[in-house]
Amino acid sequence: MASNENRSTRQQRDCRVKPGKYGTNLSTSTDGEFIQFDEGWEFLQKGITKLKRILEGLPETQFTSEEYMKLYSTVYKMCTQDPLDDYSQQLYDKYRETFEVYIISTVLPALREKPEESMLQELVKRWKNHKIMVWWLSRFYHFIDCYFIARRSLPTLNEVALKSFRDLVYCEVNANARVALIDLIHKEREGGQIDRELVKNVVELLVEIGNGKMDAYEKDLEAHILENTSDYYSLKASSWIIEYSSPDYMLKVDECLRMERERVAHYLHSSSEQKLVNKVKDELLVVYANNDIK
């Protein structure tokens, strides 16, 4: 009976959040003592909420080294207690759930309310915030990433977070994002000014979300850009072949090839250059070869 009473006493830890003048101050008194799952997770949620507030630009102080160590130590203790009270799996599951809840409640609504180019800007912002969130939570969860996941051969924390963003965000917005990107490229081809840095950032997102593979970029964007390029220069060739002399037509071809190479250098992936150049040549030079112009 005494043993049970001692354990009950150990479990009654003070795990709370104190409001500060500019945000959240994390406070816990679990140092060196047993932590129940609900108690520990409640404390971790306070840290996660603080992180979300920072990402959303709400009034909040940055994490101090002391707060970081308390969050890290809480995870460590919850995973290294008595085997019956090892909460590694539960924390691993909560890590995935944290991203899913945040994406569904905050990220997707912000993206859905934005049209076209504004949606691309929001997507880039949300991807940047996602990576910051991964960076911080992976450090709180460092013990799980290094030991529990390795023993169980589970997906890493980075992989879990990436899958959440890819499945919930990317799969929903990629079609609209592709249309918006191709519209911007078309605008630039027609002489308009576009935000090249924005296009570059979205392209980098597509490459990064492939986690070492180029599938997302090649299938979801590049293939459509190449198809659009063929259509665009096919129409141009049909009018230029009538409008220009042979020397002037070839000057137009050279100019288009130069501009497409420049386009790749500024914001498309380097692997697209030769494919893009070939599409331009196919459309412009085939028409030239099939028409007798002087």
Side-chain angles (χ1 to χ4, degrees):
M1 177 66 69
S3 176
N4 289 337
E5 290 176 351
N6 290 337
R7 180 177 178 125
S8 176
T9 300
R10 288 199 306 268
Q11 291 176 352
Q12 294 175 5
R13 302 275 60 89
D14 178 19
C15 184
R16 61 190 181 275
V17 61
K18 296 179 179 178
K21 181 178 180 181
Y22 299 106
T24 303
N25 294 322
L26 298 175
S27 177
T28 182
S29 59
T30 58
D31 293 347
E33 301 179 13
F34 178 85
I35 307 175
Q36 285 186 311
F37 178 78
D38 289 345
E39 173 194 20
W41 179 242
E42 180 182 358
F43 176 66
L44 292 172
Q45 278 190 302
K46 304 302 183 183
I48 293 169
T49 297
K50 175 174 177 133
L51 177 56
K52 290 177 181 178
R53 287 177 57 83
I54 292 172
L55 293 177
E56 294 303 313
L58 298 174
E60 189 60 84
T61 58
Q62 294 297 316
F63 284 101
T64 65
S65 57
E66 181 183 7
E67 288 174 334
Y68 161 72
M69 284 307 302
K70 285 180 179 178
L71 290 161
Y72 169 85
S73 298
T74 298
V75 172
Y76 174 80
K77 292 169 189 173
M78 292 175 73
C79 297
T80 57
Q81 301 176 136
D82 183 282
L84 293 177
D85 298 307
D86 178 352
Y87 299 123
S88 298
Q89 183 65 57
Q90 293 96 316
L91 288 173
Y92 181 78
D93 293 338
K94 285 292 186 181
Y95 178 87
R96 181 190 67 254
E97 181 183 302
T98 294
F99 282 97
E100 292 174 350
V101 169
Y102 180 57
I103 287 170
I104 292 170
S105 65
T106 305
V107 177
L108 288 177
L111 287 165
R112 287 168 181 158
E113 68 182 19
K114 300 289 194 306
E116 302 172 352
E117 189 171 345
S118 296
M119 185 271 288
L120 294 180
Q121 293 167 343
E122 187 70 24
L123 179 61
V124 169
K125 170 189 171 183
R126 292 297 169 177
W127 176 241
K128 179 181 177 181
N129 285 353
H130 179 80
K131 291 190 288 185
I132 294 172
M133 189 169 177
V134 172
W135 191 90
W136 276 103
L137 291 188
S138 294
R139 277 146 185 80
F140 300 161
Y141 272 67
H142 182 70
F143 182 83
I144 288 179
D145 215 11
C146 289
Y147 297 96
F148 174 72
I149 289 175
R151 290 198 307 268
R152 299 289 186 89
S153 298
L154 295 169
T156 66
L157 297 182
N158 283 342
E159 290 170 341
V160 170
L162 179 63
K163 186 176 187 301
S164 294
F165 193 93
R166 184 173 59 238
D167 292 352
L168 297 174
V169 179
Y170 177 71
C171 286
E172 175 168 329
V173 306
N174 84 85
N176 290 336
R178 177 175 65 245
V179 170
L181 285 172
I182 291 177
D183 284 348
L184 288 174
I185 294 172
H186 178 80
K187 178 181 177 181
E188 186 178 58
R189 282 175 175 156
E190 289 294 294
Q193 296 294 316
I194 68 169
D195 185 347
R196 285 181 162 182
E197 189 65 24
L198 173 61
V199 179
K200 178 182 178 182
N201 288 335
V202 178
V203 167
E204 289 177 350
L205 184 160
L206 292 174
V207 173
E208 290 175 1
I209 211 165
N211 197 25
K213 300 179 181 179
M214 295 291 289
D215 292 3
Y217 173 74
E218 291 177 349
K219 294 179 181 179
D220 295 337
L221 181 61
E222 183 188 63
H224 298 272
I225 289 176
L226 294 175
E227 181 181 0
N228 179 264
T229 299
S230 291
D231 294 342
Y232 179 82
Y233 285 108
S234 176
L235 288 173
K236 291 298 183 182
S238 65
S239 62
W240 290 347
I241 205 71
I242 299 171
E243 182 179 352
Y244 295 111
S245 65
S246 179
D248 289 341
Y249 184 90
M250 292 308 297
L251 286 175
K252 290 293 292 183
V253 172
D254 289 341
E255 180 186 4
C256 291
L257 290 172
R258 177 186 61 79
M259 292 179 66
E260 294 303 328
R261 289 191 176 99
E262 182 181 302
R263 195 159 283 118
V264 172
H266 279 286
Y267 53 72
L268 296 179
H269 193 270
S270 58
S271 62
S272 297
E273 181 173 336
Q274 195 56 51
K275 302 173 190 176
L276 203 59
V277 165
N278 288 342
K279 287 294 182 182
V280 176
K281 288 180 177 179
D282 287 346
E283 297 303 331
L284 296 183
L285 296 183
V286 167
V287 169
Y288 179 83
N290 292 335
N291 286 268
D292 183 20
I293 61 175
K294 298 179 180 181

mmCIF file of all heavy atoms in Angstrom, residues 24-63:
data_model
loop_
_atom_site.group_PDB
_atom_site.id
_atom_site.type_symbol
_atom_site.label_atom_id
_atom_site.label_comp_id
_atom_site.label_asym_id
_atom_site.label_seq_id
_atom_site.Cartn_x
_atom_site.Cartn_y
_atom_site.Cartn_z
ATOM 1 N N THR A 24 3.971 33.027 -23.913
ATOM 2 C CA THR A 24 3.848 31.869 -23.055
ATOM 3 C C THR A 24 5.152 31.546 -22.347
ATOM 4 O O THR A 24 6.198 31.487 -22.981
ATOM 5 C CB THR A 24 3.429 30.649 -23.895
ATOM 6 O OG1 THR A 24 2.210 30.959 -24.553
ATOM 7 C CG2 THR A 24 3.248 29.427 -23.031
ATOM 8 N N ASN A 25 5.089 31.323 -21.034
ATOM 9 C CA ASN A 25 6.230 30.825 -20.286
ATOM 10 C C ASN A 25 5.936 29.391 -19.870
ATOM 11 O O ASN A 25 4.930 29.127 -19.211
ATOM 12 C CB ASN A 25 6.489 31.676 -19.036
ATOM 13 C CG ASN A 25 6.920 33.076 -19.392
ATOM 14 O OD1 ASN A 25 7.661 33.266 -20.342
ATOM 15 N ND2 ASN A 25 6.450 34.057 -18.627
ATOM 16 N N LEU A 26 6.790 28.472 -20.271
ATOM 17 C CA LEU A 26 6.566 27.069 -19.935
ATOM 18 C C LEU A 26 7.119 26.784 -18.552
ATOM 19 O O LEU A 26 8.220 27.199 -18.205
ATOM 20 C CB LEU A 26 7.250 26.177 -20.963
ATOM 21 C CG LEU A 26 6.732 26.338 -22.393
ATOM 22 C CD1 LEU A 26 7.578 25.497 -23.332
ATOM 23 C CD2 LEU A 26 5.282 25.928 -22.477
ATOM 24 N N SER A 27 6.336 26.055 -17.758
ATOM 25 C CA SER A 27 6.757 25.741 -16.402
ATOM 26 C C SER A 27 6.400 24.306 -16.076
ATOM 27 O O SER A 27 5.290 23.865 -16.362
ATOM 28 C CB SER A 27 6.089 26.674 -15.396
ATOM 29 O OG SER A 27 6.436 26.324 -14.070
ATOM 30 N N THR A 28 7.343 23.562 -15.518
ATOM 31 C CA THR A 28 7.079 22.189 -15.090
ATOM 32 C C THR A 28 7.956 21.863 -13.902
ATOM 33 O O THR A 28 9.020 22.445 -13.724
ATOM 34 C CB THR A 28 7.368 21.181 -16.225
ATOM 35 O OG1 THR A 28 7.055 19.868 -15.754
ATOM 36 C CG2 THR A 28 8.809 21.203 -16.668
ATOM 37 N N SER A 29 7.518 20.931 -13.081
ATOM 38 C CA SER A 29 8.340 20.504 -11.951
ATOM 39 C C SER A 29 8.520 19.000 -12.002
ATOM 40 O O SER A 29 8.518 18.324 -10.993
ATOM 41 C CB SER A 29 7.681 20.911 -10.627
ATOM 42 O OG SER A 29 6.393 20.325 -10.514
ATOM 43 N N THR A 30 8.681 18.467 -13.228
ATOM 44 C CA THR A 30 8.814 17.017 -13.392
ATOM 45 C C THR A 30 10.260 16.566 -13.356
ATOM 46 O O THR A 30 10.534 15.391 -13.560
ATOM 47 C CB THR A 30 8.206 16.591 -14.738
ATOM 48 O OG1 THR A 30 8.886 17.299 -15.792
ATOM 49 C CG2 THR A 30 6.727 16.909 -14.801
ATOM 50 N N ASP A 31 11.197 17.481 -13.135
ATOM 51 C CA ASP A 31 12.611 17.132 -13.207
ATOM 52 C C ASP A 31 12.945 15.963 -12.280
ATOM 53 O O ASP A 31 12.733 16.011 -11.075
ATOM 54 C CB ASP A 31 13.475 18.338 -12.819
ATOM 55 C CG ASP A 31 13.360 19.455 -13.836
ATOM 56 O OD1 ASP A 31 12.821 19.196 -14.932
ATOM 57 O OD2 ASP A 31 13.817 20.573 -13.527
ATOM 58 N N GLY A 32 13.496 14.895 -12.899
ATOM 59 C CA GLY A 32 13.969 13.754 -12.129
ATOM 60 C C GLY A 32 12.881 12.866 -11.581
ATOM 61 O O GLY A 32 13.167 11.977 -10.791
ATOM 62 N N GLU A 33 11.613 13.032 -11.959
ATOM 63 C CA GLU A 33 10.528 12.276 -11.353
ATOM 64 C C GLU A 33 9.645 11.627 -12.402
ATOM 65 O O GLU A 33 9.693 11.962 -13.579
ATOM 66 C CB GLU A 33 9.705 13.203 -10.443
ATOM 67 C CG GLU A 33 10.549 13.835 -9.344
ATOM 68 C CD GLU A 33 9.753 14.763 -8.471
ATOM 69 O OE1 GLU A 33 8.515 14.744 -8.554
ATOM 70 O OE2 GLU A 33 10.364 15.514 -7.710
ATOM 71 N N PHE A 34 8.807 10.716 -11.969
ATOM 72 C CA PHE A 34 7.919 9.973 -12.864
ATOM 73 C C PHE A 34 6.894 10.891 -13.519
ATOM 74 O O PHE A 34 6.378 11.812 -12.905
ATOM 75 C CB PHE A 34 7.194 8.883 -12.056
ATOM 76 C CG PHE A 34 6.223 8.096 -12.879
ATOM 77 C CD1 PHE A 34 6.640 7.011 -13.632
ATOM 78 C CD2 PHE A 34 4.880 8.474 -12.933
ATOM 79 C CE1 PHE A 34 5.734 6.295 -14.398
ATOM 80 C CE2 PHE A 34 3.972 7.766 -13.700
ATOM 81 C CZ PHE A 34 4.406 6.677 -14.433
ATOM 82 N N ILE A 35 6.617 10.642 -14.802
ATOM 83 C CA ILE A 35 5.648 11.458 -15.540
ATOM 84 C C ILE A 35 4.606 10.549 -16.167
ATOM 85 O O ILE A 35 4.938 9.654 -16.944
ATOM 86 C CB ILE A 35 6.334 12.276 -16.661
ATOM 87 C CG1 ILE A 35 7.509 13.091 -16.120
ATOM 88 C CG2 ILE A 35 5.321 13.192 -17.341
ATOM 89 C CD1 ILE A 35 8.296 13.816 -17.195
ATOM 90 N N GLN A 36 3.353 10.776 -15.839
ATOM 91 C CA GLN A 36 2.271 10.079 -16.519
ATOM 92 C C GLN A 36 2.130 10.617 -17.938
ATOM 93 O O GLN A 36 2.521 11.744 -18.234
ATOM 94 C CB GLN A 36 0.946 10.301 -15.785
ATOM 95 C CG GLN A 36 0.791 9.509 -14.502
ATOM 96 C CD GLN A 36 -0.606 9.688 -13.945
ATOM 97 O OE1 GLN A 36 -1.090 10.808 -13.825
ATOM 98 N NE2 GLN A 36 -1.253 8.581 -13.605
ATOM 99 N N PHE A 37 1.526 9.810 -18.831
ATOM 100 C CA PHE A 37 1.427 10.248 -20.229
ATOM 101 C C PHE A 37 0.607 11.521 -20.359
ATOM 102 O O PHE A 37 1.036 12.473 -21.020
ATOM 103 C CB PHE A 37 0.816 9.155 -21.114
ATOM 104 C CG PHE A 37 0.668 9.608 -22.538
ATOM 105 C CD1 PHE A 37 1.765 9.643 -23.380
ATOM 106 C CD2 PHE A 37 -0.556 10.062 -23.021
ATOM 107 C CE1 PHE A 37 1.654 10.109 -24.678
ATOM 108 C CE2 PHE A 37 -0.682 10.525 -24.312
ATOM 109 C CZ PHE A 37 0.433 10.545 -25.150
ATOM 110 N N ASP A 38 -0.591 11.543 -19.762
ATOM 111 C CA ASP A 38 -1.458 12.714 -19.915
ATOM 112 C C ASP A 38 -0.788 13.980 -19.394
ATOM 113 O O ASP A 38 -0.900 15.059 -19.989
ATOM 114 C CB ASP A 38 -2.786 12.498 -19.187
ATOM 115 C CG ASP A 38 -3.665 11.472 -19.897
ATOM 116 O OD1 ASP A 38 -3.371 11.153 -21.070
ATOM 117 O OD2 ASP A 38 -4.628 10.990 -19.270
ATOM 118 N N GLU A 39 -0.085 13.823 -18.283
ATOM 119 C CA GLU A 39 0.601 14.957 -17.671
ATOM 120 C C GLU A 39 1.728 15.460 -18.573
ATOM 121 O O GLU A 39 1.850 16.660 -18.855
ATOM 122 C CB GLU A 39 1.161 14.520 -16.320
ATOM 123 C CG GLU A 39 2.045 15.536 -15.624
ATOM 124 C CD GLU A 39 2.820 14.911 -14.484
ATOM 125 O OE1 GLU A 39 2.975 13.684 -14.458
ATOM 126 O OE2 GLU A 39 3.276 15.691 -13.631
ATOM 127 N N GLY A 40 2.537 14.518 -19.056
ATOM 128 C CA GLY A 40 3.657 14.899 -19.909
ATOM 129 C C GLY A 40 3.198 15.474 -21.238
ATOM 130 O O GLY A 40 3.744 16.470 -21.717
ATOM 131 N N TRP A 41 2.183 14.858 -21.837
ATOM 132 C CA TRP A 41 1.698 15.339 -23.122
ATOM 133 C C TRP A 41 1.062 16.717 -22.990
ATOM 134 O O TRP A 41 1.190 17.551 -23.887
ATOM 135 C CB TRP A 41 0.720 14.355 -23.741
ATOM 136 C CG TRP A 41 0.167 14.824 -25.050
ATOM 137 C CD1 TRP A 41 -1.125 15.091 -25.361
ATOM 138 C CD2 TRP A 41 0.926 15.134 -26.230
ATOM 139 N NE1 TRP A 41 -1.231 15.539 -26.648
ATOM 140 C CE2 TRP A 41 0.014 15.575 -27.213
ATOM 141 C CE3 TRP A 41 2.282 15.077 -26.545
ATOM 142 C CZ2 TRP A 41 0.416 15.958 -28.492
ATOM 143 C CZ3 TRP A 41 2.680 15.459 -27.828
ATOM 144 C CH2 TRP A 41 1.754 15.892 -28.780
ATOM 145 N N GLU A 42 0.393 16.970 -21.870
ATOM 146 C CA GLU A 42 -0.182 18.297 -21.657
ATOM 147 C C GLU A 42 0.911 19.358 -21.661
ATOM 148 O O GLU A 42 0.754 20.433 -22.250
ATOM 149 C CB GLU A 42 -0.941 18.330 -20.325
ATOM 150 C CG GLU A 42 -1.571 19.695 -20.038
ATOM 151 C CD GLU A 42 -2.274 19.748 -18.693
ATOM 152 O OE1 GLU A 42 -2.311 18.712 -18.001
ATOM 153 O OE2 GLU A 42 -2.753 20.834 -18.331
ATOM 154 N N PHE A 43 2.028 19.046 -21.012
ATOM 155 C CA PHE A 43 3.143 19.998 -20.990
ATOM 156 C C PHE A 43 3.731 20.180 -22.386
ATOM 157 O O PHE A 43 4.006 21.309 -22.826
ATOM 158 C CB PHE A 43 4.226 19.517 -20.021
ATOM 159 C CG PHE A 43 5.442 20.399 -20.019
ATOM 160 C CD1 PHE A 43 5.365 21.707 -19.559
ATOM 161 C CD2 PHE A 43 6.647 19.923 -20.500
ATOM 162 C CE1 PHE A 43 6.482 22.517 -19.569
ATOM 163 C CE2 PHE A 43 7.769 20.740 -20.517
ATOM 164 C CZ PHE A 43 7.693 22.039 -20.049
ATOM 165 N N LEU A 44 3.919 19.082 -23.103
ATOM 166 C CA LEU A 44 4.466 19.178 -24.462
ATOM 167 C C LEU A 44 3.549 19.984 -25.371
ATOM 168 O O LEU A 44 4.014 20.742 -26.229
ATOM 169 C CB LEU A 44 4.697 17.781 -25.038
ATOM 170 C CG LEU A 44 5.804 16.959 -24.371
ATOM 171 C CD1 LEU A 44 5.800 15.533 -24.898
ATOM 172 C CD2 LEU A 44 7.162 17.602 -24.602
ATOM 173 N N GLN A 45 2.246 19.825 -25.188
ATOM 174 C CA GLN A 45 1.300 20.592 -25.997
ATOM 175 C C GLN A 45 1.443 22.090 -25.783
ATOM 176 O O GLN A 45 1.223 22.873 -26.718
ATOM 177 C CB GLN A 45 -0.133 20.159 -25.687
ATOM 178 C CG GLN A 45 -0.572 18.898 -26.429
ATOM 179 C CD GLN A 45 -2.052 18.670 -26.270
ATOM 180 O OE1 GLN A 45 -2.566 18.556 -25.160
ATOM 181 N NE2 GLN A 45 -2.764 18.606 -27.383
ATOM 182 N N LYS A 46 1.800 22.479 -24.568
ATOM 183 C CA LYS A 46 2.015 23.900 -24.307
ATOM 184 C C LYS A 46 3.175 24.417 -25.162
ATOM 185 O O LYS A 46 3.107 25.510 -25.727
ATOM 186 C CB LYS A 46 2.325 24.140 -22.823
ATOM 187 C CG LYS A 46 1.283 23.619 -21.841
ATOM 188 C CD LYS A 46 -0.096 24.206 -22.076
ATOM 189 C CE LYS A 46 -1.073 23.696 -21.024
ATOM 190 N NZ LYS A 46 -2.449 24.177 -21.258
ATOM 191 N N GLY A 47 4.225 23.618 -25.252
ATOM 192 C CA GLY A 47 5.351 24.010 -26.090
ATOM 193 C C GLY A 47 4.978 24.038 -27.557
ATOM 194 O O GLY A 47 5.392 24.932 -28.304
ATOM 195 N N ILE A 48 4.181 23.058 -28.001
ATOM 196 C CA ILE A 48 3.744 23.008 -29.396
ATOM 197 C C ILE A 48 2.847 24.197 -29.716
ATOM 198 O O ILE A 48 2.953 24.806 -30.784
ATOM 199 C CB ILE A 48 3.029 21.672 -29.678
ATOM 200 C CG1 ILE A 48 4.027 20.518 -29.592
ATOM 201 C CG2 ILE A 48 2.357 21.689 -31.046
ATOM 202 C CD1 ILE A 48 3.391 19.144 -29.583
ATOM 203 N N THR A 49 1.966 24.542 -28.786
ATOM 204 C CA THR A 49 1.097 25.703 -28.983
ATOM 205 C C THR A 49 1.915 26.980 -29.100
ATOM 206 O O THR A 49 1.638 27.844 -29.939
ATOM 207 C CB THR A 49 0.099 25.823 -27.819
ATOM 208 O OG1 THR A 49 -0.742 24.675 -27.799
ATOM 209 C CG2 THR A 49 -0.756 27.083 -27.959
ATOM 210 N N LYS A 50 2.932 27.104 -28.276
ATOM 211 C CA LYS A 50 3.820 28.271 -28.342
ATOM 212 C C LYS A 50 4.494 28.337 -29.704
ATOM 213 O O LYS A 50 4.575 29.409 -30.322
ATOM 214 C CB LYS A 50 4.871 28.182 -27.234
ATOM 215 C CG LYS A 50 5.913 29.294 -27.287
ATOM 216 C CD LYS A 50 6.828 29.234 -26.083
ATOM 217 C CE LYS A 50 7.907 30.319 -26.188
ATOM 218 N NZ LYS A 50 8.093 31.075 -24.969
ATOM 219 N N LEU A 51 4.968 27.197 -30.198
ATOM 220 C CA LEU A 51 5.613 27.147 -31.507
ATOM 221 C C LEU A 51 4.650 27.565 -32.612
ATOM 222 O O LEU A 51 5.003 28.337 -33.507
ATOM 223 C CB LEU A 51 6.148 25.735 -31.764
ATOM 224 C CG LEU A 51 6.803 25.475 -33.132
ATOM 225 C CD1 LEU A 51 7.952 26.448 -33.382
ATOM 226 C CD2 LEU A 51 7.287 24.035 -33.206
ATOM 227 N N LYS A 52 3.427 27.085 -32.544
ATOM 228 C CA LYS A 52 2.421 27.450 -33.553
ATOM 229 C C LYS A 52 2.138 28.952 -33.527
ATOM 230 O O LYS A 52 1.973 29.579 -34.581
ATOM 231 C CB LYS A 52 1.123 26.667 -33.307
ATOM 232 C CG LYS A 52 1.220 25.175 -33.607
ATOM 233 C CD LYS A 52 -0.103 24.493 -33.268
ATOM 234 C CE LYS A 52 -0.043 23.003 -33.526
ATOM 235 N NZ LYS A 52 -1.322 22.332 -33.144
ATOM 236 N N ARG A 53 2.061 29.522 -32.343
ATOM 237 C CA ARG A 53 1.810 30.955 -32.229
ATOM 238 C C ARG A 53 2.952 31.753 -32.863
ATOM 239 O O ARG A 53 2.724 32.765 -33.531
ATOM 240 C CB ARG A 53 1.640 31.353 -30.759
ATOM 241 C CG ARG A 53 0.313 30.910 -30.154
ATOM 242 C CD ARG A 53 0.239 31.264 -28.666
ATOM 243 N NE ARG A 53 0.441 32.687 -28.432
ATOM 244 C CZ ARG A 53 -0.518 33.602 -28.541
ATOM 245 N NH1 ARG A 53 -1.745 33.244 -28.872
ATOM 246 N NH2 ARG A 53 -0.257 34.872 -28.298
ATOM 247 N N ILE A 54 4.165 31.291 -32.674
ATOM 248 C CA ILE A 54 5.317 31.952 -33.290
ATOM 249 C C ILE A 54 5.209 31.877 -34.808
ATOM 250 O O ILE A 54 5.402 32.865 -35.517
ATOM 251 C CB ILE A 54 6.638 31.305 -32.804
ATOM 252 C CG1 ILE A 54 6.854 31.593 -31.314
ATOM 253 C CG2 ILE A 54 7.818 31.815 -33.626
ATOM 254 C CD1 ILE A 54 8.020 30.850 -30.702
ATOM 255 N N LEU A 55 4.873 30.695 -35.323
ATOM 256 C CA LEU A 55 4.759 30.507 -36.767
ATOM 257 C C LEU A 55 3.638 31.358 -37.359
ATOM 258 O O LEU A 55 3.745 31.819 -38.502
ATOM 259 C CB LEU A 55 4.506 29.029 -37.083
ATOM 260 C CG LEU A 55 5.646 28.062 -36.763
ATOM 261 C CD1 LEU A 55 5.221 26.635 -37.067
ATOM 262 C CD2 LEU A 55 6.904 28.421 -37.538
ATOM 263 N N GLU A 56 2.567 31.559 -36.597
ATOM 264 C CA GLU A 56 1.435 32.346 -37.087
ATOM 265 C C GLU A 56 1.633 33.849 -36.891
ATOM 266 O O GLU A 56 0.764 34.643 -37.228
ATOM 267 C CB GLU A 56 0.149 31.900 -36.384
ATOM 268 C CG GLU A 56 -0.294 30.483 -36.710
ATOM 269 C CD GLU A 56 -0.502 30.276 -38.203
ATOM 270 O OE1 GLU A 56 -1.167 31.132 -38.839
ATOM 271 O OE2 GLU A 56 0.009 29.278 -38.751
ATOM 272 N N GLY A 57 2.786 34.222 -36.347
ATOM 273 C CA GLY A 57 3.070 35.642 -36.167
ATOM 274 C C GLY A 57 2.308 36.287 -35.036
ATOM 275 O O GLY A 57 2.149 37.516 -35.001
ATOM 276 N N LEU A 58 1.826 35.481 -34.095
ATOM 277 C CA LEU A 58 1.095 36.016 -32.943
ATOM 278 C C LEU A 58 2.071 36.471 -31.861
ATOM 279 O O LEU A 58 3.229 36.028 -31.839
ATOM 280 C CB LEU A 58 0.154 34.943 -32.393
ATOM 281 C CG LEU A 58 -0.926 34.464 -33.370
ATOM 282 C CD1 LEU A 58 -1.696 33.298 -32.769
ATOM 283 C CD2 LEU A 58 -1.875 35.607 -33.735
ATOM 284 N N PRO A 59 1.637 37.360 -30.956
ATOM 285 C CA PRO A 59 2.539 37.840 -29.893
ATOM 286 C C PRO A 59 3.051 36.657 -29.059
ATOM 287 O O PRO A 59 2.272 35.941 -28.439
ATOM 288 C CB PRO A 59 1.639 38.762 -29.062
ATOM 289 C CG PRO A 59 0.555 39.180 -30.013
ATOM 290 C CD PRO A 59 0.314 38.002 -30.895
ATOM 291 N N GLU A 60 4.335 36.444 -29.107
ATOM 292 C CA GLU A 60 4.911 35.301 -28.404
ATOM 293 C C GLU A 60 6.410 35.491 -28.265
ATOM 294 O O GLU A 60 7.065 36.042 -29.159
ATOM 295 C CB GLU A 60 4.620 34.001 -29.184
ATOM 296 C CG GLU A 60 4.987 32.731 -28.454
ATOM 297 C CD GLU A 60 4.241 32.597 -27.141
ATOM 298 O OE1 GLU A 60 3.089 32.118 -27.144
ATOM 299 O OE2 GLU A 60 4.832 32.982 -26.113
ATOM 300 N N THR A 61 6.950 35.065 -27.138
ATOM 301 C CA THR A 61 8.395 35.110 -26.944
ATOM 302 C C THR A 61 9.037 33.899 -27.604
ATOM 303 O O THR A 61 8.396 32.864 -27.791
ATOM 304 C CB THR A 61 8.733 35.097 -25.449
ATOM 305 O OG1 THR A 61 8.177 33.901 -24.853
ATOM 306 C CG2 THR A 61 8.166 36.329 -24.757
ATOM 307 N N GLN A 62 10.311 34.032 -27.971
ATOM 308 C CA GLN A 62 11.046 32.900 -28.539
ATOM 309 C C GLN A 62 11.367 31.899 -27.427
ATOM 310 O O GLN A 62 11.363 32.225 -26.243
ATOM 311 C CB GLN A 62 12.336 33.384 -29.200
ATOM 312 C CG GLN A 62 12.115 34.271 -30.417
ATOM 313 C CD GLN A 62 11.410 33.553 -31.547
ATOM 314 O OE1 GLN A 62 11.740 32.409 -31.871
ATOM 315 N NE2 GLN A 62 10.440 34.213 -32.154
ATOM 316 N N PHE A 63 11.659 30.668 -27.822
ATOM 317 C CA PHE A 63 12.027 29.645 -26.847
ATOM 318 C C PHE A 63 13.367 29.994 -26.211
ATOM 319 O O PHE A 63 14.327 30.354 -26.898
ATOM 320 C CB PHE A 63 12.137 28.273 -27.520
ATOM 321 C CG PHE A 63 10.812 27.637 -27.834
ATOM 322 C CD1 PHE A 63 10.293 27.672 -29.121
ATOM 323 C CD2 PHE A 63 10.083 26.994 -26.847
ATOM 324 C CE1 PHE A 63 9.080 27.093 -29.431
ATOM 325 C CE2 PHE A 63 8.853 26.402 -27.138
ATOM 326 C CZ PHE A 63 8.357 26.459 -28.431
#
